[in-house]
Amino acid sequence: MMPRETRSRPLAESGITLVELLVSMMLLGLILAMASGLYSSVVRSVSISRSIDSSTRVASTAANELSQVIRFGTPLKVAGSSIAAPVFSFAGRESLVLFSNTDVNALASVAVLPSKPTMIRFSIDPTSRALIESRWTATASGSAWVFAATTTLPNTSLNLGTTFIDPGVDTPLFSYLDSGGSAIAVPATGSMSAADCARISSVRLTVRVQGSGGAAAAPVVIEKTVEVVS
């Protein structure tokens, strides 16, 4: 008998079908989209957190400096007059000028002159929205101190930070109260009258700072009322 010829079956071809390839690609795309979304969310959260932190530091620094200077505001003895000039010589919505005993040398002699004050202006730059602190040094005139006009170059100038929000019709950076706690009207531009400046007993600060994160990062707002102790 002749032996039966045996034939081996060919092995099944290895690989994936087109359907399996498409499904794999869809799953990979979904995973990449989820990872990309998660990464973008984390980056955005970190950016906003840093922006808020930066805004908080700027707002806190500004509020602390404003509080210290205003708290030690002092009337200015006028040469040849028995009536002292009031603490505030200019009081506007985003700018004020006052005489202050902040940073006064406690060891300085006051036998002839009162403690040497400093004339200080706080103002918001309309372009950069930066809060600028400018200081003028006093010079003696008999038994009084005198200052150059605020139109002259200040002795020192300090940028207290940027991106202070324009309040628009909302509460401005500076609001003013009399000794009874009643608000003193502030004009839309410029300063209140000299008579109203003389009535100021305390200043309400509303410090609003918007961080570099843009509108997505909520602005930081610090509100406080500072009483002039002089």
Side-chain angles (χ1 to χ4, degrees):
M1 242 181 109
M2 297 293 294
R4 181 180 297 177
E5 182 179 355
T6 60
R7 296 180 180 177
S8 60
R9 295 181 179 179
L11 296 175
E13 294 182 359
S14 60
I16 58 176
T17 64
L18 179 59
V19 173
E20 292 173 330
L21 178 61
L22 292 175
V23 171
S24 300
M25 292 175 64
M26 290 176 60
L27 290 175
L28 179 60
L30 181 61
I31 293 173
L32 289 176
M34 293 175 61
S36 176
L38 178 60
Y39 175 77
S40 298
S41 177
V42 170
V43 170
R44 179 181 175 84
S45 297
V46 171
S47 176
I48 292 176
S49 177
R50 288 178 176 174
S51 176
I52 294 176
D53 179 67
S54 175
S55 299
T56 301
R57 284 187 279 108
V58 170
S60 297
T61 298
N64 290 338
E65 179 66 9
L66 288 166
S67 299
Q68 176 178 317
V69 170
I70 293 171
R71 183 174 292 112
F72 292 101
T74 181
L76 182 68
K77 177 177 173 58
V78 179
S81 174
S82 60
I83 302 176
V87 175
F88 297 89
S89 60
F90 186 101
R93 290 169 57 86
E94 293 192 321
S95 181
L96 62 79
V97 179
L98 76 159
F99 307 108
S100 178
N101 278 332
T102 186
D103 302 329
V104 164
N105 182 0
L107 301 179
S109 172
V110 293
V112 178
L113 289 165
S115 299
K116 184 177 182 178
T118 303
M119 184 169 66
I120 303 174
R121 179 179 64 201
F122 292 103
S123 60
I124 296 288
D125 181 272
T127 303
S128 66
R129 300 300 300 173
L131 177 59
I132 307 299
E133 176 185 343
S134 303
R135 295 190 176 204
W136 287 263
T137 301
T139 56
S141 176
S143 60
W145 297 103
V146 295
F147 292 92
T150 54
T151 53
T152 62
L153 190 68
N155 296 101
T156 62
S157 185
L158 177 65
N159 187 329
L160 295 175
T162 58
T163 329
F164 286 81
I165 298 175
D166 185 346
V169 296
D170 294 332
T171 306
L173 174 60
F174 301 119
S175 303
Y176 306 91
L177 309 174
D178 62 20
S179 57
S182 299
I184 304 173
V186 186
T189 59
S191 171
M192 63 176 61
S193 66
D196 282 339
C197 283
R199 295 170 53 208
I200 299 173
S201 179
S202 56
V203 180
R204 180 180 295 139
L205 306 175
T206 306
V207 182
R208 299 182 180 90
V209 178
Q210 177 69 65
S212 58
V220 172
V221 181
I222 296 179
E223 297 178 303
K224 62 192 307 184
T225 300
V226 184
E227 183 178 359
V228 181
V229 298
S230 62

